[in-house]
Amino acid sequence: MMKFRFRRQGADPQREKLKQELFAFHKTVEHGFPNQPSALAFDPELRVMAIGTRSGAVKIYGAPGVEFTGLHRDAATVTQMHFLPGQVSLSPPPAPVNPVPPAPPQAGSVLVGLVRQGRLLTLLDDSSLHLWEVVHHGGRARLEEALSFQPPGRPGFDGASGPPSLSRITVVLLVAAGDVAALGTEAGSVFFLDVPTLTLLEQQTLGPDEVLRSVPEDCRCGKALGPVESLQGHPRDPSKILIGYSRGLLVIWNQAAWCADRVFLGSQQLESVCWERSGHRLVSSHSDGSYAVWAVDAGDSPTAQPAVAATPYGPFPCKAISKILWRSCASGAPFVIFSGGLPRASCGDRHCVSVLQAETLVALDFTSRVVDFFTVHSARPEDEFDEPQALAVLLEEELVVLDLQAPGWPAVPAPYLAPLHSSAITCSAHVASVPARLWARIVSAGEHQSPQPASSASRWPITGGRNLAQEPSQRGLLLTGHEDGTVRFWDASGVALRPLYKLSTAGLFQTDCEHADGLAQAAEDDWPPFRKVGCFDPYSDDPRLGVQKVALCKYTAQMVVAGTAGQVLVLELSDEPAEQAVGVASVDLLQDREGFTWKGHERLSPRTGLLPWPAGFQPRALVQCLPPAAVTAVTLHAEWGLVAFGTSHGFGLFDYVRRSPVLARCTLHPNDSLAMEGPLSRVKSLKKSLRQSFRRIRKSRVSGKKRVPAAGSKVQEANAQLAEQAGPHDVEVTPVQRRIEPRSADDSLSGVVRCLYFADTFLRDAAHHGPTMWAGTNAGSVFAYALEVPAAAGSEKRPQRAVEAVLGKEVQLMHRAPVVAVAVLDGRGRPLPEPYEASRDLAQAPDMQGGHAVLIASEEQFKVFTLPKVSAKTKFKLTAHEGCRVRKVALATFASVACEDYSETCLACLTNLGDAHVFSVPGLRPQVRYACIRKEDISGIASCVFTRHGQGFYLISPSEFERFSLSARNITEPLCSLDIRWSRDATCASFRPRESPKLSQANGTPGIVLAPQSRDGSPDPVRSKGADTPEPPEATLSPVSLDSATSADTTLDTTGDVTVEDVKDFLGSSEESEKNLRNLAEDEARACAILIK
């Protein structure tokens, strides 16, 4: 059945233009720690770090604010990553033309200049190789996958009867200054790959048979060498590479002479190999927990006995040392850094990286698995020693950096990549426009929590690139509540999410399990010498400590933290440590109702007496809800000195100035027994579930028996003819709205309080306004209370008089849909300002002359009622029109990009389908709709938080927040430069990558801007503001979005711009041209490039 009405005037062009100036959807940056990291790389020239993940993402980080992201086409695990070295080497020609002599001299190659390439080679678990480049093309700077290579051989096959085929790649080494890559395979062969074209050099394959021929017969242990475990280039002679096989054989292979220079016979299974800087020694680690130092220049070949052999944690059986590094120091003893090697029986479940220097040995004990590690040391060839500055360890759940130049090797605070999920995130909130005074106090409190030694440099060693973004005009705080009872404060003003301060509430309660600090201190003298490092701690002492709701008043530095066991804690920021007792008050939300028995967890027992509190937020009052159910809503009004809280049983009001309860209201339905079980109870009501099942069956039978109108009725035929005659400009055809069945009054958890709100408005009559409190429940009920607040919170008369609350209005929505939010609009249709904003002239005073209205947002519709009569004014039925339900709503201010003085306040909404809607206020007219989150991502939708200026955050993984913007003006995205030095010859020979495919609007990409360089590598002052030139200029580009690694929906447009001329200019011969053109045609369909702003 269709309904017809005369259409109003068409879309207003001016309004449509205004919408474009106000609204735009961008996914800008991913905050936090990459989910499931699998590979690590570091570029010592550019000072940038790359992290690969199991989902195929590539994330590159430099100085704070310098970061960008790439994503492989296939969601395969990144197993290895290698930055191309900073020197470009040509193939060894018979007669070099205009060579630039390097320092020190290197045999077998001709260098054309020192460059910083900004290129990255990645290996996936399917043995495919991918070359990524930061390029400037078509007016855009971006990170692109220039080429990819798939092994031609069938994985797992490497027959001995025929020529070796490329099986599964186990290790990659960039040789000859980065233009050739050596590929070690599982079958023991070493293949060589031309990196600029990613094509195999078929005449240079080194098979295991050739290696065995270089080994004396009496030293051959069997016919197979095993997989290639390690490939290392000689630090002084690029024509030589060190090949390590899993069965223990080490071979220094001379590529120029195509023979083995030296052979070392290890007796244990090989795990890793590392050169000493001078090239005179090498160190190998083995599966039995030992490592060996081999002298390269002394003795005969083959060498069966190492110069030094040690088992650091012996003599008992130990785990394998999976990786080892040797770093020399001018002061004397070198650093030996290795992972694993611990006693298998007593420490088999530990995750450690050990640092050994002279007689000092420390086992860095982590709480998650070690992925990889590297040292930041001198990379200049003329330096004699490594002189390591820092050690960076990538773990599955965090990144830890240690200062190796300071005594005790302290940890360096990370300006980004902090583990958001150090304890599981249970709630989050955003505070915009934080005053400078409060910001400085929070930062100071955080510095007191983790003071750094005066002797420690404590400087972040990954400093590549430059952050070109302007300093934010306003400061934003992101608050995250955690399962262990902590609240963490994050600087969300820019691209880097920087930790500021951590508040812990566990010290106020007597938990079931006390902290194991004493055990850790007692074990310091034991062997091995463990040292706890890192902040990731997934275990909670007591699940009742979990933080459920957080509210902060940014003008008075007061906040409320509510937890899982019904605890509501009121805190105030103090710059000095204090020792004080905390007053406790209990509020019975059941109001002595009979027949209700709480079956859930017990309340937390608070500590009594004077308790020490460090500088920061210190508790002032503790309110305990009874029954001790999880708090579902909380709000704070610091100007009135009131805090409201709600659970699944009801809501209460507390005066924390007088420290006395004001109101308690039970919202339970008589049949709501499920609310008495609590979130930690597994008790199910069989009678209740059967009753609900039969009710649904009965409803479906009744709806199926309803009479369906005849399809060919005369009325419908007449309406159809009228619609055809009227034309599209005169008649609008709209479908009949979906029928929404009203919910039963005794549904489970109908008494849950979903929202609480304070407002100074008209409730009793139209002549007098005053303080009010609003509460919305799961059953579609809204309670409005008129409050009598005697005086301001700071007045001396306040403690003598009590706050009074009187029920003024009660609204029951027809379909009993849960109430998500309540907001009061003033006479101009604007939301009321926050506490203290109007009284301190920090915001425009509300219009108290005209009639106020209240906006009630339920899961199914938005509705505006007039005040004080509470009569319906306007509404929008979202579920009836769109078939979705509301999950998150917020009032946000959207500023225009065309006019700085124009802005609109609108209602932002996120639905259960993951769509973000924006509605006008108070007209409730739909403005825009964007696909924001995948509808399957339930946790992401539940974690979404809107800001006051049109941005938002949601969890894309347990450790990452995705940041998005609905505003065309207020966008927080990376804008950075990377100093890439391009030599003229290298630029001419560089392959032009394929056009980047366009990815669907999803998780955002940080951007990068190339800084122009002169011939000597320094920034060119003339070209710094120039147009598109062959040398990459510095430009500010429009934002581009892409899918996150955690997103499953990716749409690729594989339109390329590679021409025949482009390839022929690069390739040397016509045969190579035809061969590589065929490869390009096959690979172009699966191109995957990431646009960079």
Side-chain angles (χ1 to χ4, degrees):
M1 177 179 180
M2 305 301 290
K3 178 174 61 178
F4 301 92
R5 68 170 183 264
F6 286 100
R7 173 177 290 189
R8 301 171 183 172
Q9 296 295 329
D12 186 2
Q14 294 183 355
R15 181 60 190 173
E16 294 300 321
K17 180 181 178 181
L18 188 59
K19 287 183 182 179
Q20 296 178 0
E21 297 172 352
L22 291 173
F23 312 110
F25 181 71
H26 301 277
K27 290 193 174 181
T28 54
V29 65
E30 296 173 2
H31 295 302
F33 184 77
N35 187 40
Q36 296 181 333
S38 58
L40 178 67
F42 179 70
D43 190 331
E45 292 290 336
L46 291 174
R47 306 281 288 193
V48 295
M49 172 185 64
I51 296 178
T53 69
R54 296 183 187 176
S55 55
V58 177
K59 298 174 181 286
I60 300 181
Y61 302 92
V66 179
E67 57 183 72
F68 50 97
T69 303
L71 183 64
H72 289 90
R73 179 183 62 88
D74 297 326
T77 300
V78 181
T79 58
Q80 293 183 39
M81 309 173 72
H82 301 273
F83 280 102
L84 270 64
Q87 290 181 334
V88 175
S89 173
L90 302 177
S91 299
V97 180
N98 297 328
V100 178
Q106 298 182 3
S109 65
V110 179
L111 301 182
V112 298
L114 181 63
V115 300
R116 295 175 177 174
Q117 301 192 44
R119 296 193 293 174
L120 183 70
L121 187 66
T122 60
L123 172 66
L124 305 185
D125 60 353
D126 60 356
S127 293
S128 62
L129 291 166
H130 304 262
L131 181 63
W132 296 83
E133 294 185 352
V134 176
V135 297
H136 184 275
H137 177 66
R140 292 181 176 180
R142 51 195 167 191
L143 176 68
E144 293 187 345
E145 183 188 350
L147 293 171
S148 62
F149 169 78
Q150 188 70 36
R154 182 161 58 91
F157 175 76
D158 198 350
S161 60
S165 62
L166 186 57
S167 60
R168 190 176 71 86
I169 300 175
T170 57
V171 64
V172 177
L173 170 67
L174 294 171
V175 296
D179 61 346
V180 174
L183 311 177
T185 66
E186 194 174 35
S189 300
V190 179
F191 294 81
F192 293 90
L193 189 76
D194 183 60
V195 174
T197 59
L198 287 191
T199 55
L200 279 177
L201 303 176
E202 298 181 357
Q203 303 301 323
Q204 298 186 19
T205 302
L206 176 60
D209 294 339
E210 296 183 69
V211 177
L212 283 173
R213 284 195 293 267
S214 301
V215 179
E217 292 186 4
D218 55 345
C219 298
R220 299 177 187 176
C221 48
K223 296 183 179 181
L225 299 176
V228 178
E229 287 291 339
S230 180
L231 291 174
Q232 299 290 332
H234 196 287
R236 298 299 178 182
D237 189 352
S239 65
K240 298 179 181 180
I241 61 174
L242 174 63
I243 308 174
Y245 296 93
S246 64
R247 295 195 176 180
L249 182 68
L250 298 174
V251 177
I252 299 179
W253 187 263
N254 192 327
Q255 291 183 271
W258 204 250
C259 65
D261 277 2
R262 300 279 302 188
V263 176
F264 306 93
L265 303 176
S267 59
Q268 296 292 333
Q269 180 176 333
L270 183 69
E271 294 292 333
S272 70
V273 179
C274 178
W275 280 101
E276 191 261 341
R277 186 180 183 91
S278 64
H280 300 309
R281 288 177 294 182
L282 60 91
V283 58
S284 62
S285 65
H286 303 276
S287 60
D288 63 344
S290 65
Y291 70 88
V293 180
W294 306 84
V296 176
D297 301 331
D300 299 330
S301 180
T303 303
Q305 294 296 328
V308 177
T311 305
Y313 297 109
F316 300 103
C318 297
K319 297 178 63 178
I321 296 180
S322 58
K323 181 177 180 178
I324 191 168
L325 296 179
W326 179 291
R327 297 292 180 251
S328 58
C329 299
S331 59
F335 279 93
V336 180
I337 306 171
F338 56 90
S339 60
L342 294 173
R344 188 178 298 275
S346 58
C347 307
D349 57 345
R350 300 265 192 163
H351 310 287
C352 290
V353 172
S354 299
V355 182
L356 171 64
Q357 186 185 31
E359 301 298 328
T360 304
L361 175 61
V362 174
L364 305 175
D365 189 12
F366 305 101
T367 55
S368 58
R369 186 180 65 87
V370 177
V371 177
D372 202 353
F373 58 92
F374 65 85
T375 58
V376 180
H377 60 275
S378 174
R380 294 177 297 182
E382 61 269 18
D383 291 343
E384 184 180 356
F385 299 99
D386 292 310
E387 295 295 344
Q389 305 170 12
L391 169 65
V393 183
L394 177 65
L395 309 164
E396 274 193 338
E397 307 295 349
E398 61 182 326
L399 176 73
V400 177
V401 176
L402 278 77
D403 187 355
L404 296 181
Q405 294 183 339
W409 306 328
V412 180
Y416 53 83
L417 286 180
L420 301 175
H421 64 316
S422 54
S423 177
I425 297 177
T426 51
C427 70
S428 55
H430 184 269
V431 182
S433 305
V434 179
R437 172 60 179 163
L438 175 61
W439 187 271
R441 295 177 66 189
I442 293 176
V443 171
S444 176
E447 292 175 350
H448 283 88
Q449 286 184 335
S450 55
Q452 295 298 318
S455 59
S456 173
S458 296
R459 291 180 295 182
W460 187 248
I462 304 166
T463 58
R466 290 177 298 163
N467 184 13
L468 303 180
Q470 297 181 355
E471 193 70 18
S473 59
Q474 297 178 347
R475 296 291 185 179
L477 274 177
L478 181 65
L479 309 180
T480 56
H482 298 266
E483 189 181 29
D484 61 352
T486 59
V487 178
R488 286 171 169 82
F489 291 65
W490 307 89
D491 179 6
S493 309
V495 173
L497 193 67
R498 183 168 61 98
L500 298 179
Y501 169 73
K502 182 178 75 171
L503 165 67
S504 178
T505 63
L508 183 60
F509 303 100
Q510 299 176 2
T511 57
D512 292 341
C513 301
E514 297 296 331
H515 292 280
D517 296 338
L519 296 178
Q521 294 178 359
E524 287 183 354
D525 298 333
D526 295 342
W527 181 263
F530 290 115
R531 173 183 159 191
K532 188 74 173 179
V533 182
C535 60
F536 177 73
D537 185 9
Y539 306 105
S540 174
D541 291 337
D542 195 321
R544 297 174 295 175
L545 291 172
V547 177
Q548 296 296 323
K549 297 293 177 181
V550 175
L552 172 67
C553 177
K554 58 187 177 183
Y555 301 112
T556 61
Q558 296 175 346
M559 70 178 303
V560 177
V561 178
T564 304
Q567 69 272 25
V568 179
L569 195 59
V570 181
L571 305 101
E572 186 174 0
L573 183 60
S574 176
D575 298 328
E576 299 294 335
E579 187 174 352
Q580 60 187 7
V582 180
V584 181
S586 299
V587 178
D588 185 9
L589 298 179
L590 290 181
Q591 296 294 292
D592 298 329
R593 288 200 180 187
E594 298 180 357
F596 290 92
T597 303
W598 174 249
K599 304 175 184 178
H601 50 263
E602 297 293 332
R603 56 181 291 183
L604 285 167
S605 299
R607 299 180 186 271
T608 58
L610 296 178
L611 301 175
W613 301 104
F617 282 92
Q618 300 173 355
R620 292 291 181 263
L622 173 63
V623 184
Q624 179 62 56
C625 300
L626 297 177
V631 178
T632 57
V634 73
T635 186
L636 170 69
H637 201 293
E639 194 169 1
W640 300 338
L642 298 176
V643 57
F645 47 88
T647 68
S648 57
H649 307 117
F651 56 89
L653 182 64
F654 185 77
D655 180 359
Y656 62 84
V657 176
R658 299 183 70 251
R659 299 185 181 181
S660 62
V662 177
L663 169 69
R665 172 68 183 261
C666 182
T667 57
L668 282 179
H669 190 273
N671 294 332
D672 193 1
S673 60
L674 188 58
M676 304 307 298
E677 297 174 3
L680 304 181
S681 173
R682 297 185 178 181
V683 179
K684 295 290 184 180
S685 175
L686 179 60
K687 180 180 179 182
K688 182 72 174 179
S689 60
L690 290 176
R691 184 188 302 114
Q692 292 178 351
S693 301
F694 281 115
R695 185 182 296 114
R696 285 193 296 266
I697 295 174
R698 191 181 305 112
K699 286 183 178 180
S700 62
R701 291 177 177 176
V702 172
S703 60
K705 294 179 181 179
K706 292 181 180 179
R707 179 175 176 269
V708 180
S713 64
K714 296 182 179 180
V715 177
Q716 290 183 351
E717 293 177 0
N719 289 338
Q721 294 177 2
L722 180 61
E724 294 176 358
Q725 297 174 1
H729 298 285
D730 298 328
V731 173
E732 178 182 298
V733 180
T734 60
V736 175
Q737 298 179 5
R738 295 171 177 82
R739 180 174 180 177
I740 308 301
E741 293 289 341
R743 307 188 186 193
S744 174
D746 59 346
D747 280 347
S748 297
L749 301 178
S750 61
V752 175
V753 178
R754 296 288 297 270
C755 62
L756 292 163
Y757 179 71
F758 286 114
D760 186 356
T761 186
F762 302 90
L763 187 62
R764 295 178 176 177
D765 54 61
H768 303 87
H769 63 86
T772 60
M773 185 196 74
W774 302 72
T777 71
N778 239 14
S781 300
V782 179
F783 304 93
Y785 282 83
L787 306 179
E788 290 290 342
V789 182
S795 174
E796 297 179 356
K797 299 180 180 179
R798 175 63 183 276
Q800 300 176 3
R801 300 181 55 187
V803 178
E804 298 180 0
V806 179
L807 180 62
K809 305 289 182 181
E810 183 174 349
V811 181
Q812 178 62 58
L813 300 182
M814 179 171 37
H815 293 112
R816 298 183 179 274
V819 178
V820 180
V822 176
V824 173
L825 310 176
D826 66 1
R828 292 187 294 265
R830 299 178 180 177
L832 298 182
E834 294 184 7
Y836 285 109
E837 281 190 340
S839 60
R840 298 184 179 182
D841 296 329
L842 301 173
Q844 184 179 3
D847 182 8
M848 308 302 290
Q849 302 299 326
H852 284 197
V854 58
L855 170 63
I856 299 178
S858 71
E859 285 190 357
E860 297 177 357
Q861 67 177 357
F862 308 118
K863 204 165 186 177
V864 176
F865 297 88
T866 62
L867 289 177
K869 295 183 179 180
V870 193
S871 59
K873 184 178 180 181
T874 181
K875 63 181 176 181
F876 183 83
K877 300 179 180 179
L878 183 66
T879 304
H881 286 288
E882 305 292 341
C884 55
R885 296 186 182 276
V886 178
R887 287 293 177 259
K888 302 286 182 177
V889 293
L891 290 168
T893 301
F894 294 87
S896 172
V897 295
C899 180
E900 295 184 358
D901 298 331
Y902 183 79
S903 63
E904 291 185 5
T905 299
C906 300
L907 180 69
C909 160
L910 181 70
T911 69
N912 63 328
L913 301 182
D915 295 335
H917 299 251
V918 178
F919 298 89
S920 64
V921 174
L924 297 181
R925 294 187 178 90
Q927 302 298 306
V928 290
R929 179 179 67 178
Y930 303 108
C932 181
I933 310 175
R934 295 181 296 111
K935 62 181 180 180
E936 298 85 5
D937 189 2
I938 300 176
S939 61
I941 295 174
S943 63
C944 181
V945 175
F946 287 107
T947 72
R948 292 185 59 185
H949 301 290
Q951 296 193 38
F953 302 83
Y954 70 92
L955 287 173
I956 56 176
S957 72
S959 59
E960 290 176 290
F961 270 112
E962 175 71 65
R963 187 171 193 151
F964 65 92
S965 175
L966 303 176
S967 172
R969 181 176 173 180
N970 186 20
I971 303 174
T972 302
E973 58 187 350
L975 181 62
C976 52
S977 67
L978 190 63
D979 297 329
I980 298 178
R981 298 179 180 179
W982 303 86
S983 66
R984 181 174 63 181
D985 296 337
T987 304
C988 296
S990 178
F991 176 74
R992 176 182 295 179
R994 293 166 290 188
E995 180 68 23
S996 173
K998 301 178 179 63
L999 282 81
S1000 61
Q1001 196 92 301
N1003 292 354
T1005 299
I1008 184 170
V1009 178
L1010 293 179
Q1013 301 291 337
S1014 60
R1015 291 290 301 275
D1016 59 354
S1018 61
D1020 193 343
V1022 179
R1023 296 178 182 267
S1024 62
K1025 297 182 181 180
D1028 192 5
T1029 60
E1031 293 187 5
E1034 183 170 304
T1036 301
L1037 306 171
S1038 58
V1040 182
S1041 299
L1042 83 163
D1043 273 346
S1044 166
T1046 57
S1047 177
D1049 301 330
T1050 303
T1051 304
L1052 296 180
D1053 180 7
T1054 56
T1055 303
D1057 63 354
V1058 178
T1059 62
V1060 177
E1061 289 75 19
D1062 294 332
V1063 180
K1064 285 184 177 180
D1065 289 342
F1066 170 73
L1067 297 176
S1069 63
S1070 60
E1071 295 180 0
E1072 281 184 301
S1073 306
E1074 296 175 359
K1075 180 178 179 180
N1076 286 277
L1077 280 174
R1078 289 194 298 267
N1079 294 337
L1080 288 174
E1082 296 175 357
D1083 294 341
E1084 191 170 8
R1086 58 177 186 266
C1088 179
I1090 306 305
L1091 301 182
I1092 300 298
K1093 173 178 180 303

